[in-house]
Amino acid sequence: MSEPTTEVMAAPRSSRGFGGLGEMRHLGLLAALALLVVVGLITRPENFATTSNLVSILSLAATIGVITVGATFVIIGGGIDLSVGAVMALASVWATTLATQSYGPVVMAICAILVGTGAGVVNGLLIAYGRMVPFIATLAMLVAARGLAQRMSDRKTQLIQADNAAIVDLSTTRVLGIPLLVYVFALVVVLGWIVLNRTTFGRRTYAVGGNPEAARLAGIDVRKHTVLLYALSGLCCGIAAILIMARTTTGSSTHGDLYELDAIAAVIIGGTLLTGGRGTIVGSILGLLIFTLITNLFILNGLNTSDQLIAKGLIIVVAVLLQRRNLKERAP
């Protein structure tokens, strides 16, 4: 009997690139973005169409956007990660303790990345080898990471010392009028797109999310790949922690509150299936920009934060219902 192949078929083009349904979905998201821009120009033309507001939108999108890239991989792989906001908060607190800061900004950045990645590995091990449901495992990590961050910081905000201003420079230094942290975000997006669409790891992610048993029979170590997916999500949380430290000049246990909502919602709006096996980085980033613009418009128009949350919740419900409808129409 022949040996099982160690490679899998590439995901359908509609899931990975700009062709077919994927292109139509992206065009729809671009139309929604254009509509929001028009709303901004009509309601607050003197504030919306300014350089400072554009920079504000991009800076806000950068932090959540890095997390969204990691969340896209996890959800395409058939999982879910509710702990991203809390893990980012823990990484920021750990990196801004006096002990860590005494070693300088490079060690602070490495610390944030290691803490985030380590938390992701724990999630992956619990899910892949402990056979815990992703929802429960990452919910437990959310609570534990937030609690550990509060304990380490004694519920106090930790300021970045003047000697470590290199971290803050990511937010204050601008190239072509755009903060460096936005370029970091763009780099993460490009690397994420390449990994998902041009590497074996990306093809295996689609395979594991689409049909784990078929992926196993094709020679993929599904459990190992699952651990790597959550480690990647944790890595993105660590990078996001560096960016939020740069924006706020602090590490805090309150950082990243409800970021898991924004990241997962952006991924869903971008067309990624909650059941896994289909999705794109481009769609997720477009979904993120839609959410960020909505937040910006609410702020500029002085609307209540609670109304903003209601609007976001309704958008998520509509996106999921449309997803289910499309799946039924495609079913034989």
Side-chain angles (χ1 to χ4, degrees):
M1 188 172 73
S2 61
E3 292 292 326
T5 178
T6 58
E7 194 52 79
V8 295
M9 292 176 62
R13 193 178 176 189
S14 63
S15 298
R16 301 176 57 204
F18 291 91
L21 293 175
E23 183 179 2
M24 292 300 296
R25 191 180 306 113
H26 295 155
L27 289 175
L29 293 172
L30 286 172
L33 273 175
L35 178 61
L36 289 173
V37 170
V38 171
V39 171
L41 292 174
I42 293 174
T43 59
R44 281 291 184 271
E46 70 284 358
N47 296 324
F48 184 79
T50 62
T51 302
S52 61
N53 189 52
L54 175 60
V55 170
S56 176
I57 292 172
L58 292 176
S59 297
L60 178 60
T63 306
I64 305 177
V66 171
I67 292 176
T68 300
V69 171
T72 302
F73 276 88
V74 169
I75 295 176
I76 290 176
I80 194 78
D81 191 349
L82 301 178
S83 68
V84 289
V87 168
M88 186 191 74
L90 176 60
S92 75
V93 167
W94 208 316
T96 52
T97 60
L98 292 176
T100 307
Q101 291 201 57
S102 65
Y103 291 99
V106 175
V107 173
M108 290 174 63
I110 293 174
C111 175
I113 290 173
L114 289 178
V115 170
T117 305
V121 169
V122 172
N123 279 335
L125 290 174
L126 290 174
I127 294 164
Y129 294 94
R131 299 190 181 282
M132 291 182 67
V133 177
F135 179 88
I136 299 300
T138 58
L139 181 61
M141 178 60 74
L142 181 158
V143 176
R146 189 72 71 179
L148 181 56
Q150 291 174 353
R151 187 175 183 84
M152 290 183 66
S153 64
D154 196 24
R155 297 178 182 268
K156 297 177 181 177
T157 298
Q158 300 174 168
L159 296 175
I160 295 178
Q161 298 174 341
D163 294 341
N164 299 313
I167 295 286
V168 182
D169 287 345
L170 288 173
S171 179
T172 57
T173 302
R174 300 190 178 190
V175 177
L176 301 178
I178 299 175
L180 288 178
L181 61 83
V182 176
Y183 291 99
V184 174
F185 165 49
L187 178 61
V188 171
V189 171
V190 171
L191 291 176
W193 186 90
I194 292 172
V195 171
L196 188 60
N197 294 283
R198 295 292 184 265
T199 68
T200 300
F201 183 87
R203 291 193 293 272
R204 289 178 176 177
T205 299
Y206 282 109
V208 169
N211 191 326
E213 181 60 22
R216 185 186 67 79
L217 293 175
I220 297 174
D221 188 335
V222 175
R223 291 191 296 182
K224 177 182 177 183
H225 193 84
T226 298
V227 174
L228 292 176
L229 286 175
Y230 283 92
L232 177 60
S233 179
L235 171 64
C236 289
C237 291
I239 297 172
I242 298 171
L243 299 186
I244 201 165
M245 287 190 296
R247 283 181 53 221
T248 64
T249 70
T250 65
S252 173
S253 60
T254 61
H255 283 334
D257 187 34
L258 293 181
Y259 272 26
E260 58 276 0
L261 167 66
D262 287 345
I264 294 171
V267 174
I268 295 171
I269 292 171
T272 298
L273 288 182
L274 277 173
T275 52
R278 193 183 81 188
T280 66
I281 294 291
V282 173
S284 294
I285 299 306
L286 290 175
L288 167 72
L289 292 176
I290 288 174
F291 255 54
T292 306
L293 270 179
I294 290 173
T295 300
N296 182 256
L297 289 174
F298 270 76
I299 293 172
L300 290 180
N301 287 280
L303 298 177
N304 199 302
T305 304
S306 58
D307 294 334
Q308 178 187 144
L309 294 175
I310 293 171
K312 288 183 176 181
L314 290 174
I315 292 171
I316 294 171
V317 170
V318 171
V320 173
L321 289 176
L322 289 175
Q323 220 178 66
R324 289 173 63 86
R325 178 183 175 185
N326 290 336
L327 285 175
K328 287 181 180 179
E329 290 178 351
R330 294 178 61 192

